[in-house]
Amino acid sequence: MSFDDNLDRLARLCVGFGLQVKPGQELLITADIGAADLVRRITREAYGAGASNVQVFFADDAITLARFTHGSEDAIETAPGWLFEAMAGAMRNGSARLAIAGGTPGLLAEQDPGKVARANAAQSVAAKPFMEVVTSGLTNWNIVPFVTEGWAKQVYPDLPVAEAVETLWGHVFRALRLDHDDPVAAWQTVFDTLAKRREYLTERAFSALHFEGGGTDLTLGLAKGHVWAGGGLRLADGTGYAPNLPTEEVFTMPDRGRAEGRAVFTKPAVINGTIVEGLVVEFAGGKAVKITADKGEAVAQTYFTSDEGASRLGEVALVPESSPIARSDVLYFNTLFDENAACHIAFGNSYSMNLAPGADREAAGANESTIHMDCMIGGPELSVTGIASDGNRHPIMEKGEFVI
Amino acid sequence: MSFDDNLDRLARLCVGFGLQVKPGQELLITADIGAADLVRRITREAYGAGASNVQVFFADDAITLARFTHGSEDAIETAPGWLFEAMAGAMRNGSARLAIAGGTPGLLAEQDPGKVARANAAQSVAAKPFMEVVTSGLTNWNIVPFVTEGWAKQVYPDLPVAEAVETLWGHVFRALRLDHDDPVAAWQTVFDTLAKRREYLTERAFSALHFEGGGTDLTLGLAKGHVWAGGGLRLADGTGYAPNLPTEEVFTMPDRGRAEGRAVFTKPAVINGTIVEGLVVEFAGGKAVKITADKGEAVAQTYFTSDEGASRLGEVALVPESSPIARSDVLYFNTLFDENAACHIAFGNSYSMNLAPGADREAAGANESTIHMDCMIGGPELSVTGIASDGNRHPIMEKGEFVI
Ligand SMILES: [Zn+2]
Ligand SMILES: [Zn+2]
Ligand SMILES: [Zn+2]
Ligand SMILES: [Zn+2]
């Protein structure tokens, strides 16, 4: 399979399985300028599927950086709310949405962390109406990766750049099941497995989960009426779609007020461009009350207290150690991959799709924040136990693998 | 002067003189993806001048083409009105606007002309609110060129592409006065000259212009209360700006009902990717009543009857033969250059800036159309005479040069 063939297969997987673009539907694409090759293939594929318009929004590292290197304080705190509003409006009118992930992970690492935090906060606030439509299940959306040089250099700083790009593409193509004869069929099998797990877990309606192993001993209350999600989603009109490709997780909403114990994080977290290693967090009453790290401790402490909800949890996700991404044992510096490599909990905002449609978030125990940061606690030692409301314990994972 | 130095000088000219970006002002940029190098320099320059946000919208030839090669009829007739509306809204709220011109001129030449015409019409309708804000004088805007490979190949099809790009850049840099020690001072001199011409002509308030020479013998009525424009503009708050760089023309609004005689066009026109050569048009009662051409006659006839206003005139512009662009004697396939190479008339829509603010367009004789196509009538033989309302004749240009 040539590289071009693989990109074409990725474009077909994205449009035909990930998005399932409907005839007459508009498609909004956001991508790094370096991913133009894939964007062009996806655009042709989407028009071929009957898209009425493909609207591409390209981002560029140098343009993103210029705000920090040449912009005023006013520029740091400005984000184009009008554009997010317009995109949200288009999606409310039925446009599908595709994000190509693969920007340079450490792009802002050299910039003043205070500036970066203020810019991210402004961006989050401006993007809120947009993110709400994306996560509300109103329209089909999808995220797929593209290996840019900036990303590959971060993952393989010691390799020549062409080799870094090629090596990372190898992992990406495998994680995307493009090495299978029929990638769509392979993904259908994965999604069937994820559907069984999420249906089982939703039906059990556990009161809490207990994570244990590798130093972690954490009991995490689940939100009232929580729903497990993962794999495929379905629109009101019945159209199926796959938000993330690759994806290996099932995930739900924790109760913002009930987390007790200690989490030892098994992979570095990248916070505003800083790599945080050896992170350990103690929780009481749902809140992170002690945050330590071998590297980047101050950055973590600042970030996880950046607003009231930033020190509480918005997501808990289960991923087996046998997933292709976990087995590659690479730190990808990219959420689309790293969150699918291991069980994780996320600090910050929770997803409404993890409650019944229209449920009262506040009453259910949902967390609210401008941040959402996945941190990995999974590993070969980890066991996960469901605790029913009657106190009974049901094993879910043992030594990093599902036993349900 | 290295190429990089010239691009930096162009970025400074664009932000400091063309746009005159104000502290706290947002800047919207539209550009071909191939112009990213210049866009990055302009972005840094704009942030340095205090811009609050620089929002870039990149277009891409392959993505533009995909609509025609892979899109349904629905796609051909769809344009993102919501995005034009949003950009218009941002400009009404004060955003400046920059267009980088330099896309591939013949990009759609191989496509079905009917499809191209339908797509252009849909685009024009969707872009109308946006174009209205741009031309209304509400905000500072500017167009500057960037030489893409696609553009250079069209201008110099027989040169190796790198040489074509370099040769075209040479002309572009000279046309932009970047070969002057102080390009801003050079442009200030040009703009002073243009201001004198437009003030003289506006004050005279000629009833009509008579063009004669090289086969042309055309009397063109001017709109009631017409205002001559050209060079710099000024916002209500006094900020000056330069819409087009380069620019050599002064222009005004013809009366849509008064054009009599014959225009022999002295340069090819590019209509939807087709090169129309040897165009001759006879006018009666303001309307093109006979359209002939040596090449592309049918395309011209179809285009100039695509709506009621397409066969009538919306602009008349005067450019001396001594302008650097005219002297380069290159057909640029790019309006920013070709319209500044020679006197021209434009079929289609007229500009509101050529009337007093708030004037009644209909009553003044303004033409309305979804098209606006500049066609060159200038040449070394052309004389232009102003006809006053008392019938007196005043020479304006002789043998292609101003005599006022
Ligand atoms: Zn997750
Ligand atoms: Zn997450
Ligand atoms: Zn003109
Ligand atoms: Zn014009």
Side-chain angles (χ1 to χ4, degrees):
Chain A
M1 193 78 56
S2 76
F3 178 71
D4 276 7
D5 288 338
N6 271 321
L7 280 196
D8 279 335
R9 284 157 69 93
L10 173 49
R12 280 199 296 277
L13 179 68
C14 168
V15 172
F17 181 74
L19 289 166
Q20 306 189 30
V21 172
K22 292 177 276 189
Q25 191 175 31
E26 183 178 54
L27 172 59
L28 312 185
I29 303 181
T30 53
D32 188 274
I33 207 171
D37 187 356
L38 177 62
V39 173
R40 291 170 185 141
R41 292 167 205 257
I42 287 172
T43 299
R44 289 189 284 263
E45 199 66 31
Y47 278 126
S52 61
N53 180 44
V54 179
Q55 198 63 42
V56 183
F57 299 87
F58 281 113
D60 176 73
D61 280 356
I63 290 171
T64 304
L65 260 179
R67 184 188 299 277
F68 296 92
T69 54
H70 290 68
S72 63
E73 190 49 41
D74 176 32
I76 296 299
E77 294 185 359
T78 300
W82 62 271
L83 183 56
F84 287 117
E85 280 288 358
M87 293 170 80
M91 288 191 291
R92 280 191 295 266
N93 289 331
S95 304
R97 183 264 193 287
L98 171 67
I100 314 265
T104 305
L107 182 65
L108 303 179
E110 316 274 277
Q111 305 305 314
D112 169 8
K115 271 193 185 179
V116 174
R118 288 196 299 284
N120 282 348
Q123 189 75 8
S124 292
V125 170
K128 204 158 189 206
F130 174 79
M131 291 312 297
E132 271 169 14
V133 183
V134 172
T135 57
S136 67
L138 270 180
T139 196
N140 38 344
W141 58 278
N142 179 234
I143 307 179
V144 293
F146 184 93
V147 177
T148 58
E149 288 194 356
W151 180 17
K153 275 192 230 170
Q154 180 88 18
V155 177
Y156 298 110
D158 300 332
L159 291 186
V161 64
E163 201 181 327
V165 166
E166 200 189 325
T167 308
L168 187 51
W169 266 124
H171 288 299
V172 166
F173 287 144
R174 277 189 296 279
L176 286 164
R177 268 78 168 175
L178 294 180
D179 55 339
H180 290 238
D181 286 342
D182 183 345
V184 167
W187 277 109
Q188 203 48 71
T189 305
V190 174
F191 277 36
D192 288 347
T193 302
L194 295 176
K196 271 179 207 142
R197 286 176 192 155
R198 73 179 190 230
E199 282 158 18
Y200 172 91
L201 290 165
T202 299
E203 201 172 292
R204 289 288 167 136
F206 289 121
S207 167
L209 299 178
H210 180 218
F211 291 88
E212 195 172 23
T216 289
D217 187 350
L218 177 69
T219 302
L220 204 58
L222 297 181
K224 218 154 96 180
H226 68 269
V227 174
W228 286 82
L233 291 175
R234 203 164 281 283
L235 299 180
D237 73 2
T239 313
Y241 67 101
N244 289 5
L245 290 173
T247 187
E248 309 285 346
E249 62 170 349
V250 290
F251 60 98
T252 196
M253 186 190 287
D255 180 335
R256 71 171 175 279
R258 292 190 292 134
E260 307 291 335
R262 185 170 194 263
V264 174
F265 293 91
T266 50
K267 293 191 184 249
V270 184
I271 297 180
N272 288 342
T274 300
I275 299 174
V276 177
E277 286 183 56
L279 183 66
V280 177
V281 176
E282 284 176 24
F283 291 90
K287 199 174 157 70
V289 290
K290 191 175 169 202
I291 298 166
T292 60
D294 298 336
K295 261 192 193 169
E297 185 174 280
V299 170
Q301 288 171 345
T302 304
Y303 193 65
F304 294 138
T305 53
S306 58
D307 63 29
E308 171 53 31
S311 60
R312 297 176 181 273
L313 299 176
E315 181 196 352
V316 53
L318 306 180
V319 178
E321 286 295 297
S322 54
S323 93
I325 300 172
R327 273 188 300 196
S328 73
D329 200 29
V330 171
L331 178 63
Y332 289 92
F333 299 94
N334 181 314
T335 305
L336 188 57
F337 284 79
D338 290 324
E339 75 158 349
N340 286 303
C343 291
H344 54 275
I345 53 181
F347 292 83
N349 210 43
S350 59
Y351 296 121
S352 291
M353 75 168 105
N354 288 129
L355 293 176
D360 180 344
R361 285 176 58 95
E362 167 74 23
N367 192 34
E368 311 291 341
S369 174
T370 57
I371 76 159
H372 177 102
M373 171 65 66
D374 296 306
C375 294
M376 317 307 154
I377 57 175
E381 305 301 312
L382 193 73
S383 71
V384 185
T385 308
I387 305 174
S389 44
D390 59 9
N392 275 341
R393 297 173 63 90
H394 301 261
I396 298 171
M397 297 182 80
E398 278 173 15
K399 291 190 191 279
E401 296 297 334
F402 278 93
V403 293
I404 56 172
Chain B
M1 194 79 56
S2 77
F3 178 72
D4 276 7
D5 288 339
N6 270 321
L7 279 195
D8 280 334
R9 284 157 69 92
L10 174 50
R12 279 199 296 276
L13 178 69
C14 167
V15 171
F17 180 75
L19 289 164
Q20 305 189 31
V21 172
K22 292 176 276 190
Q25 191 176 31
E26 184 179 51
L27 172 60
L28 312 185
I29 303 180
T30 53
D32 189 274
I33 207 172
D37 186 356
L38 177 61
V39 173
R40 290 170 187 141
R41 292 169 205 255
I42 288 172
T43 300
R44 289 189 285 263
E45 200 64 32
Y47 278 127
S52 60
N53 181 45
V54 179
Q55 198 61 43
V56 183
F57 299 88
F58 281 114
D60 176 73
D61 280 356
I63 290 171
T64 303
L65 259 179
R67 184 189 301 275
F68 295 92
T69 55
H70 291 67
S72 63
E73 190 49 41
D74 176 31
I76 295 298
E77 294 185 0
T78 300
W82 62 270
L83 183 55
F84 286 115
E85 281 286 0
M87 292 170 80
M91 288 190 292
R92 279 190 295 265
N93 289 329
S95 303
R97 183 263 193 289
L98 171 67
I100 313 264
T104 304
L107 182 65
L108 303 179
E110 316 273 277
Q111 305 305 314
D112 170 8
K115 271 193 185 180
V116 174
R118 287 196 299 283
N120 282 349
Q123 190 75 8
S124 292
V125 170
K128 204 157 188 209
F130 173 79
M131 290 313 297
E132 271 169 13
V133 183
V134 171
T135 56
S136 67
L138 270 179
T139 194
N140 38 344
W141 59 278
N142 179 233
I143 307 180
V144 293
F146 184 93
V147 176
T148 58
E149 288 195 356
W151 180 18
K153 274 192 230 169
Q154 180 88 18
V155 178
Y156 298 110
D158 299 332
L159 291 186
V161 63
E163 201 181 325
V165 167
E166 201 189 324
T167 307
L168 188 50
W169 267 125
H171 288 299
V172 166
F173 287 143
R174 274 189 297 278
L176 285 163
R177 269 75 168 177
L178 294 180
D179 55 340
H180 290 238
D181 285 343
D182 183 346
V184 167
W187 277 108
Q188 204 47 72
T189 305
V190 174
F191 277 36
D192 288 348
T193 302
L194 295 177
K196 271 178 210 142
R197 286 176 192 156
R198 74 180 190 229
E199 281 158 20
Y200 173 91
L201 290 166
T202 299
E203 200 171 293
R204 289 288 167 138
F206 289 121
S207 167
L209 299 179
H210 181 218
F211 291 87
E212 195 172 22
T216 288
D217 186 352
L218 177 68
T219 302
L220 205 59
L222 297 181
K224 218 153 93 182
H226 68 271
V227 174
W228 286 81
L233 291 175
R234 202 164 283 284
L235 300 179
D237 73 0
T239 312
Y241 65 102
N244 289 6
L245 289 174
T247 187
E248 309 286 346
E249 61 170 351
V250 290
F251 59 99
T252 195
M253 187 190 286
D255 180 334
R256 69 172 175 280
R258 293 191 291 136
E260 308 292 335
R262 186 169 192 263
V264 174
F265 293 91
T266 49
K267 292 190 182 250
V270 184
I271 297 180
N272 289 340
T274 299
I275 299 175
V276 177
E277 287 183 54
L279 184 64
V280 177
V281 176
E282 284 177 24
F283 291 90
K287 200 175 156 71
V289 291
K290 189 172 168 205
I291 298 166
T292 59
D294 297 336
K295 262 194 194 169
E297 183 174 282
V299 170
Q301 287 172 345
T302 305
Y303 192 65
F304 293 137
T305 53
S306 57
D307 63 29
E308 172 53 30
S311 60
R312 296 176 182 271
L313 299 176
E315 180 196 353
V316 53
L318 306 181
V319 178
E321 286 296 295
S322 54
S323 93
I325 300 172
R327 273 187 300 196
S328 74
D329 199 31
V330 171
L331 179 63
Y332 289 93
F333 300 95
N334 182 315
T335 305
L336 188 57
F337 285 79
D338 291 324
E339 75 158 348
N340 286 304
C343 290
H344 54 275
I345 53 181
F347 291 83
N349 210 43
S350 59
Y351 297 120
S352 291
M353 74 168 103
N354 288 129
L355 293 176
D360 180 344
R361 285 176 58 95
E362 168 74 22
N367 193 33
E368 311 290 340
S369 174
T370 58
I371 75 160
H372 177 101
M373 170 66 67
D374 295 306
C375 294
M376 315 312 152
I377 55 173
E381 306 302 311
L382 193 72
S383 70
V384 185
T385 309
I387 304 174
S389 44
D390 59 10
N392 274 341
R393 297 174 64 90
H394 302 260
I396 299 171
M397 297 182 80
E398 278 172 17
K399 291 192 192 274
E401 297 297 334
F402 277 93
V403 292
I404 56 173

